[in-house]
C-alpha cells in the first residue's frame, strides 16, 4: 500500500504511552521527526488513539482521531461508527446520525452501526428512522437483546410523542372555542396533568 509520513509521536509504540495530539497532520515536522507508515497502519493507529480517548471520555479528541483515520480510509465502517459514538456523546446528534447511517450503508449487516443509528434517530425524535434501524439490527441478529430493548424504547417514545401532540392539539382547539380565556387555563391544566402521567 501507499506510505504516509506521520509525526513520530503517532507511531504504534508511542500510541500506548503518549498523550493525544489533536494537531495530527501527515506533513508536520521535519524529515527527522517523521516516520513512514502504510495506510493501514496509520488507520489502525488513529483508531487505537480514538478508542483510547473515547475510553477516557475525551470525546472531542476521539472524534478528531477517527476523522484523521477516515481521511485515509473514508469507507471504514468501524471508524464511522466509532466517530458516531463520540459525536453522540458530544450531543452532535445530526453528525452522529450521518456517520452511523454511512457505516450501515457501507456494511448493511453491521449490528453496532445499526444500533447507533437507531439511538441517534431516537434522540433526535425521528422515530420511524429509529424503528427501521432497530429492525435492520434485528435482521442481522434476531436474538439481540439490545436491539429488542431499543425497539421497545422507540415504540414507547413514539407513543408518548403522539399522545403529547394529541393533547397539544386538543388544548389548541379548546382555546379557540372559549373566547373568555377559560379554555386556555383548562387546556394548560390538562396538558400539565398529562405530562405528569407521561
Amino acid at each position: 500500500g501507499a506510505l504516509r509520513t506521520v509525526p513520530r509521536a503517532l507511531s504504534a509504540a508511542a500510541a500506548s504511552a503518549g498523550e493525544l495530539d489533536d494537531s495530527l497532520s501527515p506533513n508536520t515536522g521535519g524529515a527527522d521527526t517523521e516516520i513512514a507508515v502504510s495506510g493501514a497502519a496509520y488507520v489502525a493507529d488513529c483508531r487505537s488513539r480514538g478508542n483510547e480517548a473515547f475510553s477516557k471520555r475525551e470525546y472531542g479528541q476521539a472524534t478528531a482521531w477517527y476523522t484523521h483515520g477516515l481521511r485515509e480510509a473514508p469507507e471504514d465502517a468501524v471508524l464511522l461508527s466509532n466517530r458516531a459514538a463520540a459525536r453522540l456523546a458530544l450531543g452532535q446528534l445530526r453528525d452522529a446520525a450521518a456517520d452511523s447511517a454511512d457505516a450501515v450503508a457501507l456494511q448493511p449487516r453491521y449490528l453496532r452501526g445499526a444500533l447507533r443509528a437507531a439511538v441517534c434517530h431516537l434522540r433526535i425524535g425521528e422515530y420511524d428512522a429509529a424503528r427501521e434501524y432497530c429492525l435492520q439490527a434485528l435482521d442481522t441478529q434476531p436474538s439481540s437483546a439490545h436491539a429488542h430493548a431499543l425497539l421497545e424504547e422507540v415504540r414507547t417514545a413514539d407513543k408518548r410523542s403522539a399522545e403529547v401532540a394529541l393533547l397539544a392539539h386538543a388544548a389548541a382547539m379548546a382555546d379557540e372555542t372559549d373566547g373568555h380565556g377559560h379554555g386556555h387555563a383548562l387546556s394548560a391544566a390538562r396538558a400539565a396533568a398529562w405530562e405528569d402521567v407521561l
Side-chain angles (χ1 to χ4, degrees):
L3 293 180
R4 289 181 62 103
T5 56
V6 294
R8 184 171 299 281
L10 298 178
S11 69
S16 62
E19 291 186 22
L20 292 175
D21 179 2
D22 193 26
S23 62
L24 174 64
S25 171
N27 297 316
T28 59
D32 62 333
T33 63
E34 296 180 338
I35 58 170
V37 294
S38 71
Y42 175 80
V43 171
D45 194 44
C46 289
R47 180 182 300 120
S48 174
R49 298 292 215 116
N51 292 347
E52 180 183 336
F54 190 91
S55 71
K56 294 178 181 178
R57 298 179 186 251
E58 296 171 351
Y59 304 119
Q61 289 288 325
T63 299
W65 282 107
Y66 298 137
T67 299
H68 291 302
L70 285 163
R71 288 185 186 137
E72 178 70 23
E75 295 187 356
D76 187 316
V78 173
L79 278 176
L80 282 163
S81 182
N82 286 357
R83 187 171 70 176
R87 286 177 162 176
L88 187 62
L90 291 169
Q92 299 170 351
L93 301 180
R94 292 280 176 201
D95 289 337
D99 280 348
S100 56
D102 288 346
V104 172
L106 289 167
Q107 290 186 15
R109 300 195 53 77
Y110 183 30
L111 178 67
R112 187 170 289 176
L115 291 173
R116 285 195 177 135
V119 169
C120 291
H121 288 286
L122 172 63
R123 290 195 183 163
I124 292 169
E126 296 172 342
Y127 304 118
D128 290 339
R131 184 175 11 268
E132 287 302 315
Y133 281 112
C134 286
L135 294 174
Q136 186 172 355
L138 288 168
D139 283 345
T140 299
Q141 187 177 349
S143 63
S144 171
H146 188 185
H148 283 286
L150 189 55
L151 181 59
E152 186 56 36
E153 189 176 340
V154 168
R155 288 178 177 154
T156 300
D158 192 19
K159 180 180 176 186
R160 193 173 296 159
S161 175
E163 290 170 349
V164 169
L166 183 62
L167 288 171
H169 176 72
M173 295 302 292
D175 286 345
E176 289 178 13
T177 60
D178 186 353
H180 302 290
H182 298 299
H184 176 69
L186 182 59
S187 61
R190 285 184 190 147
W194 273 104
E195 285 180 13
D196 288 341
V197 170
L198 300 176

